[in-house]
Amino acid sequence: MTENSQQQTPAPTSELPTQYAPAEVEGPLYERWVERGYFDVDPKSEKPPYTIVIPPPNVTGSLHLGHAFEHTLIDALTRRKRMQGFETLWQPGMDHAGIATQNVVERELAKEGLSRHDLGREAFVERVWQWKAESGGQIAGQMRRLGNGVAWSRDRFTMDEGLSRAVQTVFKKMFDDGLIYRAERISNWCPRCLTAISDIEVDYQDDDGELVSMKYGEGEDTIVVATTRAETMLGDTAVAVHPDDERYAHLIGKQIKLPLTGRTIPVVADTHVDPEFGTGAVKVTPAHDPNDFAIGQRHDLEALEVLDERGIITAHGPFEGLDRFEARSAIVAALRAEGRIVAEKRPYVHSVGHCSRCKTTLEPRLSLQWWVKVETLAKAAGDAVRDGRVNIHPADLSQRYFDWVDNLNDWCISRQLWWGHRIPVWHGPNGEIVCVGPDEQAPSGEGWHQDTDVLDTWFSSGLWPFSTLGWPEQTEDLAKFYPNSALVTGYDLMFFWVARMMMFGLYAMDGEIPFKTIAFHGMVRDEHGKKMSKSFGNAVNPLDWMDTYGSDALRFTLARGANPGIDVPIGEDWVQASRNFANKIWNATRFALMNGATVEGLLPEPSEMTATDRWILSRLNKTVAEVDAFYDDYQFAKLSDALYHFAWDEVFDWYVELSKTTFMAGGEPAKVSSRVLGEVLDVMLRLLHPVVPFVTETLWTTLTGGESVVIADWPTDSGFRDDAAEQEIATLQQVVTEVRRFKGDQGLKAGQRVPARLTLDGTALAAHEPAIRQLLKLQPEGEGFTATATLPVAGAEVALDLSGAIDVAAERKRLAKDLAAAEKDKAQSEGKLGNEAFLAKAPDHVVDKIKGRLAKADEDIARIQAQLDRLPQA
């Protein structure tokens, strides 16, 4: 049997208001939890550790529904582990979000008619810190509203002193190990943010563009190339063809005329060119295309930059100073005037990269950047999953992870920003480069200066699992709480964040994994499955729903939709339904308390219990086992659904109702059932607490008199099972359900009382006759009883006298009309399905629809005929 965790006298039920008011309960409860230190941790504790970091939200904004979803799942895991006796650390913090934050502050400056250059670097960075101090607290307030059980005393920021030291330490180590280098290469460049960005910060979308085919060269030395970026032809330094393409064999090695420029360029042979694609010839612009850059490297071609950092043409001539898109039209017009345009296709839909932050069309641009050599790091990150040290959940996402880390390109980590971790490298007057660690003195003197770039935001957030624990110092926190037990995050961060943490953790922590399990969840979408976005008009502020329905209602809705790795649709109606569930828990618990539910004393022996008592305890223990298994498999939707149906369907709709007759009869059975009901409520509230913490805290402390359910013991499965009692109550439920259905079919209201004779002798249901009569509103037979309808159910018989309850003649007439309509539908459907000419022409979906109508007609006929058979003759 299960034992309650707190053997204390319950508080009087008068302390429980008649209605649950989340707005009055949630805020004070959360502050009490924080004040009592329930979420704090002690690295000296002998309890086993359980660690999860928060995926640090950007300091730029507020929590959206996706954050609320993710935080609900993590909070449920950590609350359960805390109740199970683990020293549980949920590490909070925020990310400095380099590009996003700089953009926000620059927009604020623009309102004052200023730019960051008007302030200068130091003053601008100071302005960002001021903005962070003013705006950063908004997220923390929202997390408290949601009920996040984080260790607030350990709150971290990716640019605080300790994390900055970790960043500098890792950079220095990687630089010394030859894993960080500086090189001029093609990177994704944002002309709006004026910085390079990494491949994973590029959003690709199909844009309407143009494909222009144009002639290079003269006479016999003419060759046709095609491009969607005509403006880059000003920077062409070659045309490439495949070495085996006989069409161009006579041109390989020759110089041909490049239109509009007065230059000649060579025709080179390169196996990269696909002779089957287009004309089999491609223009080569090494400074403005990654593939062209590689061709240029192989053939020692000059890289001519013809677009500056803002996307403005810099080439000498009539196009100088034009924006890239203006130049595109002007250059095509000039080529057309010279008769060099062979073909133009508009619109030409093709995939174009955009900045994930500002949505500007990106430019591949040759620039001097800092890079991480990822080959060995990525291999280690892949091996850790392949050999089972790190488990990905759900497992079918492992292949997506491998596809990424196995094909990872070197990572561009420098950003041309002012907000962020400045690269710890000093440049000397004679080209010297010195990387400086956190405890080292930077070189000084004339001509020495620090690199002006900052690091990619994901560089610092990639250190999050161990930098938040005090690394590079060997702290007690690090020894206790690393590696993290699990990481819970969206599958969209697999490449941005998860792969970075894997690489950094294995590298910096001497091969030790950063976390044991990666549990991916999906994205929150609207009720129609559409992505939530302000531009779509379907974005939801989680605070609005929490204000209206309570935080528990939002949390339960989100958890109930959380199947591993699958997107979560959510609508307001579902949150309202979850609010109704919270109210049901409140009202049912209050009713149970008023009827004697208690946790005082040990549970009675099974021999002292009714079958109803044994049934609910058996179901309770099975639910404990089921919920535990779902938690261990990160099946939040299934565990929430199991708890919902146990609480509402079994405890409230059946056990409480079945127990009413026992309570009314009084005596020892009533005392036993009141103790069983108390036990069930105690365990059920503890099971529900991690997902719906506020309502369960109020109810559990009232029921048990315990200090807080936050620190109560997690329920364990005692192993008690009573299959016979479960079968007995299942039979009772069958009888009640069938009779209720029959009464409904006859048009009787749920609470309408009718005389009935129950024949239960020789069945296990005999002892339940008072409860069955109470549930079905069945009166004793009385004088003049006439069995106008008899229902044989599960070995029992229920005879009803409906003579005074319904107009039999009118009911027979109504049912006869319904039967005729169903038979007509059947005949029509059979006629169509028997027509070979129709079947030969009709689409499959039409035929399937008619088959469905036939099946429904058969079901309706059987149902209506059974109702007619049960009615007395008029």
Side-chain angles (χ1 to χ4, degrees), residues 15 69 72 219 288 394 400 490 527 560 678 687 713 740 745 759:
E15 291 184 8
F69 172 55
T72 294
H288 297 284
R400 192 187 301 187
E527 57 193 306
R560 203 174 178 192
L687 287 174
D713 293 337
R740 278 176 174 167
D745 288 342
T759 305

Side-chain angles (χ1 to χ4, degrees), residues 324-381:
R324 53 186 167 155
F325 301 117
E326 295 173 334
R328 183 174 300 171
S329 299
I331 287 170
V332 170
L335 289 168
R336 190 184 301 112
E338 289 190 4
R340 290 188 173 275
I341 298 297
V342 176
E344 298 178 72
K345 185 175 181 180
R346 297 189 185 89
Y348 178 72
V349 179
H350 60 133
S351 182
V352 177
H354 295 258
C355 176
S356 63
R357 299 297 181 186
C358 69
K359 311 309 176 186
T360 300
T361 300
L362 297 171
E363 280 293 331
R365 182 168 183 262
L366 186 65
S367 58
L368 190 60
Q369 303 287 348
W370 289 95
W371 304 81
V372 169
K373 192 180 296 183
V374 301
E375 183 178 2
T376 58
L377 302 174
K379 182 180 184 304

Side-chain angles (χ1 to χ4, degrees), residues 84 106 151 243 262 318 330 352 486 505 521 588 677 771 787 824 874:
Q84 286 181 317
E106 285 195 82
V352 177
H521 59 72
L677 180 55
K824 182 179 178 181

Side-chain angles (χ1 to χ4, degrees), residues 99-284:
I99 296 176
T101 303
Q102 180 156 317
N103 283 346
V104 168
V105 178
E106 285 195 82
R107 284 197 294 270
E108 293 298 312
L109 286 175
K111 295 176 184 177
E112 304 171 22
L114 298 172
S115 74
R116 61 179 165 122
H117 300 285
D118 294 325
L119 270 66
R121 184 167 191 145
E122 289 188 11
F124 175 77
V125 170
E126 179 59 33
R127 180 70 174 260
V128 180
W129 277 108
Q130 291 173 7
W131 178 88
K132 187 262 179 186
E134 295 167 3
S135 304
Q138 183 177 357
I139 291 175
Q142 291 169 317
M143 288 169 61
R144 299 171 97 91
R145 280 290 310 277
L146 191 64
N148 288 6
V150 299
W152 286 113
S153 61
R154 295 165 176 267
D155 196 16
R156 304 303 298 268
F157 181 54
T158 51
M159 282 189 62
D160 67 27
E161 184 177 353
L163 270 65
S164 295
R165 180 178 179 84
V167 168
Q168 194 172 353
T169 300
V170 165
F171 189 99
K172 168 70 173 174
K173 177 175 170 57
M174 296 180 77
F175 182 89
D176 291 346
D177 288 346
L179 294 175
I180 287 180
Y181 63 95
R182 196 181 192 214
E184 193 173 44
R185 292 169 54 177
I186 296 287
S187 61
N188 304 295
W189 184 270
C190 178
R192 158 63 183 80
C193 298
L194 298 180
T195 182
I197 63 175
S198 66
D199 292 342
I200 53 177
E201 293 172 302
V202 180
D203 289 340
Y204 287 95
Q205 66 184 48
D206 289 340
D207 287 355
D208 286 345
E210 60 182 358
L211 181 67
V212 180
S213 298
M214 48 198 179
K215 292 189 297 186
Y216 286 7
E218 300 287 356
E220 294 182 355
D221 294 345
T222 298
I223 194 166
V224 177
V225 298
T227 183
T228 57
R229 300 165 66 221
E231 69 278 7
T232 64
M233 61 86 59
L234 300 175
D236 287 357
T237 55
V239 171
V241 298
H242 194 277
D244 298 333
D245 194 335
E246 294 181 358
R247 293 172 295 174
Y248 304 117
H250 67 290
L251 289 177
I252 295 173
K254 283 190 175 183
Q255 293 282 327
I256 62 172
K257 182 179 180 181
L258 179 66
L260 306 181
T261 65
R263 292 190 290 115
T264 61
I265 57 176
V267 178
V268 299
D270 197 281
T271 55
H272 170 76
V273 180
D274 181 0
E276 303 298 324
F277 183 77
T279 64
V282 297
K283 59 190 287 298
V284 181

Side-chain angles (χ1 to χ4, degrees), residues 234 288 304-317 319-322 327 365:
L234 300 175
H288 297 284
L304 292 178
E305 294 185 54
V306 295
L307 287 166
D308 71 7
E309 60 183 7
R310 297 181 184 275
I312 305 299
I313 297 293
T314 59
H316 295 297
F319 311 108
E320 185 177 3
L322 292 180
R365 182 168 183 262

